[in-house]
Amino acid sequence: MFSLNDVERRTVGKGETMMLEVTQELKKAYPGGSIGILALSGMKSREVSTRLEQEKKAVEETLRSRFHHHDRSSLKSMEPIGSYSEYYQSFRKTYHVLLQLESIVFKGKSIPTVSPAVEIMFMAELKNQMLTAGHDLDEVEGTLKAEVAQPGRTYESMSGKTIETAAGDMMITDERGILSSIIYGPDQRTRITPETERVVYTVYAPPGISKALVEEHLKDLEQYAALACSDVRVISEVVHEL
């Protein structure tokens, strides 16, 4: 594994800083939870990063070594998986990162090679078991808002299907609509593509998961981004406690 402290930071101009508003309704519904965002530029890369590929393999090997003697029941008792599983169960769903972790540890699957912006999200998500959504920052309009999903709200999912949010779910919106929700994932409109140069990652942490874990997760995303793309810059990084 690596130790990296060379992610360059800069002061951004007016209009570039990614803002996040958290509604009072969300704070009342999920006290003790957190929402984290990390916005990066310089994420477009057409070449496969040898350093990123090496780190990807190291993450896989570490996960297998750490969890190979567990089963689903024992994994669900570990944090942060336990808090996510409890949240998902309240909506009669299974935490999908747990399923992905099982595929790596027990089925010998590998983290897919897609694009650097997507791969680093998968790597950090699996390493830390923290729920993360990635979006093309240039497709986001205005301030992000973390709020509670209400009945009747719809958006187009990554698969192109129109879905209705689960009432009471945590979700993030911009001035045009919904970017993601915990239960149904990210939207189609702001999806990361091979042409994406600026990315914003959003991290959902239900109650029971500390702010410190969210902060550590964002640092891993930064460091993986620096391995993948030499020109990466941090635009904004913030964690809001609910």
Side-chain angles (χ1 to χ4, degrees), residues 140-153:
V140 175
E141 294 194 10
T143 299
L144 294 180
K145 180 187 292 186
E147 54 186 301
V148 178
Q150 302 299 322
R153 293 291 299 273

Side-chain angles (χ1 to χ4, degrees), residues 45-97:
S45 176
R46 298 189 181 280
E47 297 181 0
V48 175
S49 167
T50 301
R51 293 196 302 167
L52 186 66
E53 288 298 310
Q54 291 173 342
E55 186 60 24
K56 187 190 302 183
K57 296 301 182 185
V59 169
E60 294 169 357
E61 291 171 4
T62 299
L63 291 174
R64 292 179 184 124
S65 175
R66 179 183 176 190
F67 296 120
H68 75 277
H69 59 288
H70 289 275
D71 57 17
R72 177 173 294 185
S73 178
S74 62
L75 286 174
K76 288 174 68 174
S77 70
M78 304 172 67
E79 291 297 342
I81 296 173
S83 293
Y84 281 114
S85 294
E86 182 177 347
Y87 182 97
Y88 272 73
Q89 286 171 0
S90 69
F91 293 91
R92 299 183 179 181
K93 302 288 185 180
T94 300
Y95 183 35
H96 75 272
V97 176

Side-chain angles (χ1 to χ4, degrees), residues 22-224:
V22 179
T23 66
Q24 290 300 316
E25 290 77 12
L26 187 65
K27 293 179 180 180
K28 291 178 182 178
Y30 297 105
S34 300
I35 300 287
I37 63 169
L38 173 67
L40 303 171
S41 65
M43 288 300 298
K44 186 175 180 180
S45 176
R46 298 189 181 280
E47 297 181 0
V48 175
S49 167
T50 301
R51 293 196 302 167
L52 186 66
E53 288 298 310
Q54 291 173 342
E55 186 60 24
K56 187 190 302 183
K57 296 301 182 185
V59 169
E60 294 169 357
E61 291 171 4
T62 299
L63 291 174
R64 292 179 184 124
S65 175
R66 179 183 176 190
F67 296 120
H68 75 277
H69 59 288
H70 289 275
D71 57 17
R72 177 173 294 185
S73 178
S74 62
L75 286 174
K76 288 174 68 174
S77 70
M78 304 172 67
E79 291 297 342
I81 296 173
S83 293
Y84 281 114
S85 294
E86 182 177 347
Y87 182 97
Y88 272 73
Q89 286 171 0
S90 69
F91 293 91
R92 299 183 179 181
K93 302 288 185 180
T94 300
Y95 183 35
H96 75 272
V97 176
L98 172 59
L99 302 179
Q100 293 168 349
L101 180 63
E102 289 177 335
S103 73
I104 297 291
V105 175
F106 304 129
K107 299 179 182 179
K109 301 292 186 181
S110 298
I111 298 170
T113 299
V114 189
S115 68
V118 174
E119 288 173 47
I120 69 171
M121 179 177 66
F122 287 158
M123 290 168 63
E125 196 172 47
L126 286 164
K127 174 180 180 289
N128 302 313
Q129 299 93 57
M130 300 286 288
L131 183 63
T132 310
H135 306 274
D136 187 322
L137 182 56
D138 292 319
E139 298 299 325
V140 175
E141 294 194 10
T143 299
L144 294 180
K145 180 187 292 186
E147 54 186 301
V148 178
Q150 302 299 322
R153 293 291 299 273
T154 62
Y155 67 106
E156 187 178 4
S157 70
M158 285 282 287
S159 66
K161 180 181 179 181
T162 298
I163 55 176
E164 183 174 344
T165 56
D169 193 11
M170 297 169 69
M171 69 178 188
I172 293 178
T173 64
D174 67 1
E175 293 179 4
R176 282 189 59 188
I178 298 169
L179 270 66
S180 71
S181 65
I182 287 187
I183 298 302
Y184 292 113
D187 72 328
Q188 172 76 5
R189 170 173 59 93
T190 65
R191 71 191 186 283
I192 294 172
T193 73
E195 302 305 314
T196 296
E197 296 188 14
R198 301 200 307 160
V199 177
V200 57
Y201 298 105
T202 60
V203 183
Y204 291 98
I209 300 171
S210 71
K211 178 182 178 183
L213 284 180
V214 180
E215 292 171 338
E216 291 173 10
H217 182 63
L218 296 183
K219 295 301 181 187
D220 280 340
L221 284 167
E222 285 184 38
Q223 293 175 338
Y224 292 156

